[in-house]
Amino acid sequence: MNGIKHDDGPTKVSILGKESIIVDHGLWDSFVADDLLTGLPSEIYALVTDTNLGPLYVPRFRQAFEDARSRHNLDARLVTFEIPPGESSKSVDTWATIHHWLGSQKFVRNGVIIALGGGVIGDLIGFNAATWMRGVKVVQVPTTLLSMVDSSIGGKTAIDTPHGKNLVGAFWPPERIYIDLDFLNTLPKRELINGMAEVIKTAAIWNQDEFAALEDNAELLLDAFQAEGGLASAKHNSKVSSFIKRLVLGSVRVKAEVVTADEREGGLRNLLNFGHSIGHAIEAILAPQVLHGECVAMGMVKEAELARYLGVLSPSAVARLIKCIAAYELPTSLANKQVRKRSANKACPVDELIDIMAVDKKNAGRQKKVVLLSAIGKTLEPKASNVADDDIRFILSPSALVYPSKSGSLHVSCTPPGSKSISNRVLVLAALGSGTCRITNLLHSDDTQFMLTALTQLGAATFSWEDEGRTLVVDGNGGSLKASQTELYLGNAGTASRFLTSVAALVPRSSATSSTVLTGNARMKERPIGPLVKSLRKNGAEIECLGKDGCLPLRVGAGAGFDGGEIELAATTSSQYVSSLLMCAPYAKKPVVLKLVGGKPISQLYIDMTTAMMASFGIHVQKSETEANTYYIPQGKYSNPNNYEIESDASSATYPLAFAAITGTTCTVPNIGSASLQGDARFARDVLKPMGCTVKQTETSTTITGPSRGNLIPIQEVDMEPMTDAFLTASVLAAVAQPHGGSSTTRIVGIANQRVKECNRIKAMKDELAKFGVQCRELEDGIEIDGRGLDLRKPTEGIHCYDDHRVAMSLSILAVASAKPVVITERECTGKTWPGWWDTLHQTFEVKLEGVDSPPKPETDSSTAQPKSIFLIGMRGAGKTTTGKWAAELLGWPLIDLDTAIEEQTQTSIPELVRSKGWENFREEELKVLQKTLQEKSTGHVLACGGGIVEIPAARALLSAHHASGGIVLLVTRDLTQNIEYLNIDKTRPAWVDDIMAVWLRRRPWYEECSNLHFHSQSAKQTSLDDAFEDFSRFLALVQKKQSALRTIRKKQHSFFVSLTTPNIHEALDILKEAVVGTDAVELRVDLLKDPNSQNGIPTVDYIIEQITLLRSVTTLPLIFTLRTQSQGGNFPDGAGDEAIALYNTAFRMAVEFVDLEITASEKLINFVTSQRDKGTTKVIASHHDPQGKLSWTNGSWVPHYNRALQHGDIIKLVGIAKSQNDNIDLFKFKSGPGASHSTPLIALNMGAHGKLSRVLNNFMTPVSHPALPSKAAPGQLSAAEIRRTLSILGEISPRQFFLLGSPVAASRGPVMHNTLFAATGLPHHYDRVDTKDVEVVRRIIRSPDFGGASVTIPLKLDVMPLLDEVSPQARVIGAVNTIVPVRNSDSGAVEKLVGYNTDWQGISLSLRNAGASSSTSSSSALVIGTGGTSRAAVYALHAMKFAPIYVLGRSAQNAHTVVASFPPEFDVRTLSSTTTGLDEVARMPAAPAVAVGTIPADRAIDAGMREVLCALFERSQTEAAAAAEAARRNGTGADAGSGEAQNGVGAAGPVAGPKRVLLEMAYKPAETALMLLAADHGWATVPGAEALVGQGVYQFEHFTGIKPLYEVARAAVMG
């Protein structure tokens, strides 16, 4: 053993024969300089540190050095150098830079290099010392806990390479290691905890006593770590100081001893790599966001699990290690919340981890060297052990491939872990009791770990381990509790959550913390706890549901406690509610009389178990002999027995017994028999024996021998109410039962409570057994299973376990009976009750297992069905009916108007109902309808509510619960002035009693409370209904997650967003269409808006709603909502956090595609934004701006901001300042280094004139300006066109060739238009004509390397289709292609496929819409004139605009029929005869078409028959238009009488004289055709064909480039 010398000075530790390790407080300021100058004399000392530490410690050392030099009269120089902090500095480049600096300082062979810093500095500078002049002296001064106890000791030096960590290095022991414990005083909590991983590692491999000390002092250290001021505030606490010195010295001593014995890592030194083999692999993927110690902590857990899997480490030791690691708030798995948050959910694929481990210096081939524990404080070998890849892969894999069992004559004994039910109960009882209790056979599982951790947080008891972790020592505090400052996270531990809710209610009032929050994972937040909460509240407890009512998370107030006396509890759902109250009742203020109401209690045996265990702890519960289900609990305190042995879990015991049953082998469970407290102990007798097994059961043991394989028999019916958890095991056995007595069906009843366990277990078993081909039927309280013997189908997908341990274990038993291997997903969920289940299956039952990655998860689980219904709320007249119709049409769901449902239910109109019975009665009926609707139509419906439904508190609660559980409640509003105008004239509903504005103001908070989304319509004219429909369609697609703006943008090679700097969108409407061209999103700078109604300069919510709605009416591009604060270079006040939350909330409610979140914002704001993002579809751009230029891309100062943004953003945005082009080069290095460590997209650029290059090369979502905007949002901002031009010059955008293919094409204006648009958008491409009819010419052109795209005209529109790899659905229906687009590989640029489109129909549709044509008018039919190729595009366009029927008028009846026949029936295309029959057909039309498209040649006269029919049709339409105008004039309604839309609120406007009649003439010449003149003579508006040419060209350009050009620019080019 290396000695530790204690004297009046520092403590010295010997290593490699020298006392070169010096440990104490306060060494840096005086001792180090003096010791160096006298002990390691030299003419030059080089101190190297990082830029974070330099300003803090270098000046102090320089002064100490000068003082010592003068004192000793020595001629020595001190030179210093600083490098950027962080792992990225541990590189060849930095190593070379330091060598260059050493040379410049004339550093000589006898010089001394001082490495001041953490592990990066120590490793790097040590390697510099080892390689400079073939080795010079080095001194290590570690400043982090991790480097003090590990990396600074032993002489390992190294730098990283792209292939792995520490691959280039040397053994170069330092001459001195100065460990100044005062450095720890300035370390943040996370860094201290990071170092604790190495301390735990050392104790785990070497010294059980030190490990026990770490367990005992976790709370002491954590309190010191997180105290205000950190360890510096605890330095006067002698207990803390002495323990820190002890743990540092303990780790130093072990490492010094190991290094001395094995300096060159020949064997023993490998022990120090415990946790590192796997931890380093994790670190290689997750660093730098996840720290070294955090990765080692997870590595230790995995390597301990590996030892358990190989049978060399006990489950209790693994559990003890995990508990110790977790006690120091270190992660124990990749699923840890902080790990997921910090790494932005970055995956660690198993294959990648294995590949990284293969590069480890210790390993060779498929054998990896891993340190295997055999016990706490001991290792299997005095070196790392050889472990096969397959075993490591299994431990790392999320899923298990289970092979069929080959065991034919097994006779095994299997002891399952301790009972979960008993374990959880005994922990509560012992913690609440007084005295010491030693508990053996405790279940070591996730659930009990959550329980232990939570009881510790509540101060209920202290826990320690004896007998190598096999005995838990509980020192109960007799019911003395404290509220927990941190939330009690309980995962999916339902038992713990229910028991601890009552325990937390016993906490007395404290000045420190007023409440305790209990929370869990997503599934836990759905599991019910309502009846228990209700009973506790009635008995005086203060409990608030923070999420869904009756579920976690809960806030339990301190100080209220139990009043005692009579307590009523509904116990038909879970017996755990009863046990929870029973165990805590003795601590109530009065004796408790607990009455179980509502029917027969579920799982009575578990209630009996609780009372029996309470008696063991000195409290005797009396069950009434006269009153049913009534219990009398006296006041008192539990008295802990000296010892308590927990019997094995009877539910878990069913799995090894079932293995014997299904394989025809024998298994004994030695500690569960007929005398068990647990109901599931009856499983052998009540289930296995009737199925044909041989059962031998004593009071304490059970042995099962199964029948020969395939000979289990079904049970006609078995009531499993006393052992409900075991029904899953019975189900898998029933699945392989052979027909017996004419039936193969097993009926299991009494298990209704299994629907509210970790998942809906009954449905889960039905769904998963179906994958094996087993038919099941759900019963009200059970399940029927039709057995099929061993004739099981091989599941084609993995078996989904729903994060439920019992689902996983039971189906793994079925897997061993399958003929082929079966994948069991989420295998680690068995850790809830049997962490070593897979080890047991592998070792005891000899089942072959392989680790595999999980197949994709199913989109639904056993608790989900159809999408939840959408409720629409809002004022009457706001547009709920219209938007409801739109939603129903888009989703294909039924629309139900709740007002209509009320009238149907009451058989009276609403005005009459209110007049006869009053408003109160009407509201009662309204609530009944809502309740019935929610019960019967909670999924797959669109439901429009009455405007006043929010007046009812119960209705508000129902609607709020609907959206809290994942549904949509959509608030529909429109311009309030228009709304009020409509309400004042609407006579279909009762008259308004109150002022309408007052009603709105009263209801508005309720509307917002009840809804989670908001659609606002700003329509100002009737013809804008189509635009409003499109706006709503996009909105609905967003909230239904049917489209993703981020996913679309990420596919682009270069993307941009334009930053709007206008103070009012309305004033900039005329320039916005131009400003957004060539961009992919629009940033609304909310901080720059000027709201005329604002009192404090901050825009109001109403103003933001108006601005967002206006912006969406102008552009279909995604919106970015940005509030830039003054400190970040914006205009929003820094302290206006609450106002910011209100505005962000508006953005989320309106489903804005992106919000920009400054990572310097308050935690309150960040948490709000993060929580809202998790609920909806809005993506977060986490941003940080450095307008003062304080940060540098080279020194690591941007890394913390990157890491923080990574935690909160879907996109990261970092903006600095460039003072020279070097700053841009540094930025590019950052992007390729730390910025490339994650897949989260990064926007990184520099502001200022010098920063323009960074904007040009940013590529992803670069913020741009536009000349039309009043100002730039940031200095140095460019337009998208400017960036594209520069990228073209730099060769980043390759020029492509585009063509017009066909004949004749000489007169086409297409080249002029496209080349104009290329120039306007900054693209280097060129468009030219190729006059050809030859398909082979076309083939050569479209397959050339620089081909960019082509327009196709006659006669090639059909001929080119066989040349293409893919044709769009629209082009297939139309039967023609007019656009060819190459799809290129995003990496290589090679063409992967050629795709054909048809944009003729889009040009037609756009031209008609621009001319005012709308299918929402009174006449929804349309006419196509002609039957040529363009007629099909016209039909498709009209159908897309929702016109129906569509009439086709042609000279040839046969041709007309051919056109009609080419479309599906749903297009509703009909022929219109050109003979006299056509005149009759026109007369019989319900209304004349108001829209027509002419496709006949213009160079000849109109066919006489066609002309006659057209005249009749035009005349009829003229007559109908005049009649409609007269009716509107007479009625004075100011709206189209036939529309029906104005009554629904959306789009109501001023007088409209009927539908606008529009003819689009597809012929280009002459300017006025005969058809146009004919239509114009009858009052029709006419549109020349050139407009359609422009339209189809605009869409072609968008296909070619991904850019939607400005229509006016394209039109000007075409029109000349």
Side-chain angles (χ1 to χ4, degrees), residues 422 891 1042 1329 1346 1383:
I422 298 176
L891 296 173
K1042 293 182 178 178
R1329 305 178 185 89
D1346 62 350
V1383 176

Side-chain angles (χ1 to χ4, degrees), residues 1550-1562:
V1552 176
K1556 186 169 185 178
R1557 295 159 295 150
V1558 179
L1559 167 74
L1560 171 63
E1561 170 62 275
M1562 290 301 292

Side-chain angles (χ1 to χ4, degrees), residues 580-663:
S580 178
L581 282 176
L582 282 171
M583 289 190 292
C584 293
Y587 294 85
K589 298 169 187 175
K590 296 181 292 186
V592 171
V593 178
L594 179 60
K595 294 190 173 185
L596 308 183
V597 298
K600 178 184 176 183
I602 193 76
S603 303
Q604 179 66 46
L605 288 175
Y606 285 99
I607 300 173
D608 297 341
M609 174 195 293
T610 302
T611 57
M613 291 181 65
M614 289 171 68
S616 300
F617 284 78
I619 297 294
H620 296 273
V621 177
Q622 298 295 321
K623 185 175 182 181
S624 174
E625 296 181 359
T626 57
E627 299 176 84
N629 304 318
T630 300
Y631 296 84
Y632 295 89
I633 306 100
Q635 284 181 291
K637 288 188 176 182
Y638 295 117
S639 177
N640 287 343
N642 292 332
N643 301 288
Y644 194 100
E645 181 176 1
I646 298 170
E647 66 180 49
S648 287
D649 185 75
S651 298
S652 295
T654 64
Y655 309 123
L657 297 176
F659 181 93
I662 209 168
T663 60

Side-chain angles (χ1 to χ4, degrees), residues 1355-1375:
L1356 297 171
K1357 289 188 175 184
L1358 276 69
D1359 296 344
V1360 299
M1361 293 176 73
L1363 306 181
L1364 305 178
D1365 303 301
E1366 185 179 309
V1367 174
S1368 72
Q1370 298 88 348
R1372 286 203 179 280
V1373 172
I1374 295 168

Side-chain angles (χ1 to χ4, degrees), residues 670-686:
N671 64 344
I672 296 179
S674 58
S676 171
L677 290 172
Q678 304 171 73
D680 290 31
R682 299 166 55 175
F683 181 78
R685 185 180 67 246
D686 293 356

Side-chain angles (χ1 to χ4, degrees), residues 1004-1022:
R1004 179 174 182 169
W1006 295 334
Y1007 284 137
E1008 292 175 350
E1009 168 195 340
C1010 294
S1011 60
N1012 54 340
L1013 291 167
H1014 185 175
F1015 179 75
H1016 183 75
S1017 174
Q1018 194 74 21
S1019 299
K1021 56 185 180 180
Q1022 174 66 28

